[in-house]
């Protein structure tokens, strides 16, 4: 190996060490709406420097200060009003906890550690973290939006789910009979709160119930990593005519469902090969 190769290898090693020391890598973290998120600062205090000699602070992507520890004491004077009373510093693992997480809190954050000595502030460590925020949608709920007459085979349904984030990828009805399963794609309506930035979603369907067949209808909300399923809406048909199951028969008036942490979740799987789509969105 020549001198140039040795010099280049040494330079690369020093560069890597410098990047690790100064925390060039970005860490991804995730938090839930109205819960507590963690913003790490992966500082290794190998020299056991006392916090009384350090200045530690976090700032967001707009350079607003979330928290500052100045020579071992909290300094709330430099903290932006939107973050006051919302943070807790864990000195054991150099992590800042941000409480009452909102959707608008998603984004990039940076932590800085400086040594405060006779020569002034000397940078010791810096790193970035990207915070994403999630909110659980309520379990989808199917409602009858209008009564169907005794002689009419047409039924009108609406399915809705509320207060989730980010927006779902897809929402559809799945109709099962004894012999087949059919997927009904309809246009998903989305609305977003100006205050919380959470989404409400719904779909509607008007279809003809098959003759002489028991039908089970499910509403599926497809998210990035899972699916939420509604309770089944059952329609039983016999020689006396069609009739809804006792559970679903009483659901006549449409209303917005409440959020629930007990929504039925399943892993995303491929739709049965016999499924059909009437409309793509």
């Amino acid at each position: 190996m020549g001198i140039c190769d040795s010099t280049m290898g040494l330079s690369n090693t020093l560069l890597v060490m410098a990047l690790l020391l100064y925390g060039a890598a970005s860490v991804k973290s995730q938090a839930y709406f109205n819960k507590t998120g963690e913003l790490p600062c992966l500082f290794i205090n190998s020299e056991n420097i006392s916090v009384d000699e350090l200045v530690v602070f976090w700032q967001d992507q707009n350079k607003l200060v979330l928290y500052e520890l100045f020579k071992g004491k909290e300094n709330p004077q430099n903290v932006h009003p939107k973050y006051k009373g919302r943070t807790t510093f864990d000195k054991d693992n150099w992590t800042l906890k941000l409480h009452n997480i909102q959707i608008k809190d998603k984004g990039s954050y940076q932590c800085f550690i400086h040594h405060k000595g006779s020569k002034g502030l000397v940078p010791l460590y810096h790193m970035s973290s990207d915070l994403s925020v999630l909110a659980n949608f309520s379990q989808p709920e199917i409602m009858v939006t209008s009564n169907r007459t005794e002689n009419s085979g047409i039924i009108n349904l609406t399915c809705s789910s509320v207060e989730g984030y980010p927006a779902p990828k897809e929402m559809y009805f799945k109709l099962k009979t004894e012999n087949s399963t059919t997927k009904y794609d309809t246009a998903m309506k989305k609305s977003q709160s100006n205050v919380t930035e959470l989404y409400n979603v719904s779909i509607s369907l008007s279809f003809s119930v098959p003759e002489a067949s028991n039908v089970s209808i499910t509403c599926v909300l497809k998210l990035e990593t899972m699916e939420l399923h509604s309770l089944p809406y059952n329609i039983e048909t016999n020689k006396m005519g069609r009739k809804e199951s006792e559970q679903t028969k009483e659901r006549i008036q449409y209303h917005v469902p409440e959020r629930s942490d007990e929504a039925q979740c399943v892993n995303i799987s491929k739709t049965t090969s016999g499924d059909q789509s009437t409309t793509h969105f």
Side-chain angles (χ1 to χ4, degrees):
M1 180 182 294
I3 297 177
C4 292
D5 292 334
S6 301
T7 304
M8 183 175 295
L10 179 60
S11 298
N12 290 336
T13 302
L14 292 175
L15 177 60
V16 171
M17 292 178 62
L19 290 174
L20 291 174
L21 175 64
Y22 203 62
S26 179
V27 175
K28 295 185 182 299
S29 58
Q30 193 176 81
Y32 282 90
F33 182 74
N34 278 341
K35 302 298 183 180
T36 297
E38 294 188 349
L39 304 174
C41 196
L42 306 179
F43 174 61
I44 300 176
N45 190 8
S46 57
E47 298 182 10
N48 292 322
I49 304 174
S50 171
V51 292
D52 295 338
E53 301 177 28
L54 298 177
V55 177
V56 184
F57 66 94
W58 273 261
Q59 68 181 26
D60 64 16
Q61 56 198 0
N62 298 316
K63 311 236 182 256
L64 303 179
V65 176
L66 288 75
Y67 175 88
E68 180 179 311
L69 187 73
F70 186 84
K71 299 181 68 173
K73 295 182 180 180
E74 293 184 353
N75 182 19
Q77 294 182 352
N78 290 334
V79 175
H80 191 272
K82 68 182 288 188
Y83 294 117
K84 285 189 175 181
R86 295 182 57 201
T87 57
T88 304
F89 178 47
D90 187 343
K91 296 180 181 179
D92 293 331
N93 58 13
W94 301 90
T95 297
L96 186 70
K97 295 182 178 181
L98 181 60
H99 307 293
N100 191 27
I101 289 288
Q102 301 297 300
I103 302 300
K104 61 187 66 176
D105 289 324
K106 63 185 175 69
S108 178
Y109 294 85
Q110 295 178 317
C111 75
F112 298 87
I113 299 179
H114 294 75
H115 181 258
K116 177 69 172 176
S118 57
K119 297 182 179 179
L121 286 176
V122 178
L124 292 181
Y125 188 79
H126 158 248
M127 72 164 285
S128 298
S129 58
D130 295 319
L131 177 68
S132 60
V133 180
L134 302 176
N136 290 326
F137 278 91
S138 65
Q139 181 179 14
E141 186 171 2
I142 297 176
M143 288 293 161
V144 180
T145 56
S146 64
N147 289 321
R148 58 188 176 91
T149 63
E150 188 69 24
N151 297 323
S152 172
I154 303 298
I155 188 170
N156 300 305
L157 300 177
T158 294
C159 177
S160 58
S161 179
V162 300
E163 295 185 342
Y165 191 91
K169 300 179 66 176
E170 187 181 11
M171 193 176 194
Y172 59 89
F173 286 102
K174 186 165 61 175
L175 185 149
K176 287 186 178 181
T177 64
E178 288 114 344
N179 301 319
S180 65
T181 299
T182 305
K183 175 183 176 182
Y184 286 90
D185 282 333
T186 63
M188 180 172 58
K189 296 180 180 179
K190 293 186 296 185
S191 62
Q192 188 175 23
S193 169
N194 293 329
V195 178
T196 64
E197 299 186 29
L198 298 178
Y199 285 99
N200 294 341
V201 295
S202 66
I203 55 175
S204 298
L205 178 67
S206 178
F207 72 100
S208 178
V209 179
E211 293 286 348
S213 177
N214 294 330
V215 179
S216 178
I217 304 171
T218 306
C219 178
V220 180
L221 183 67
K222 188 174 182 180
L223 307 174
E224 291 185 1
T225 58
M226 67 176 65
E227 290 179 353
L228 298 181
H229 287 213
S230 70
L231 294 175
Y233 182 95
N234 299 316
I235 303 174
E236 299 174 4
T237 58
N238 50 39
K239 293 181 180 179
M240 300 299 295
R242 301 179 181 87
K243 63 176 182 177
E244 284 107 329
S245 66
E246 290 300 322
Q247 177 186 11
T248 58
K249 183 176 169 183
E250 299 175 355
R251 298 180 178 178
I252 301 300
Q253 298 299 324
Y254 170 75
H255 69 278
V256 177
E258 296 180 356
R259 293 183 64 204
S260 170
D261 293 330
E262 300 179 355
Q264 298 178 0
C265 301
V266 300
N267 292 329
I268 293 177
S269 59
K270 211 167 185 178
T271 309
T272 306
S273 58
D275 289 1
Q276 300 175 0
S277 297
T278 57
T279 306
H280 295 279
F281 58 96

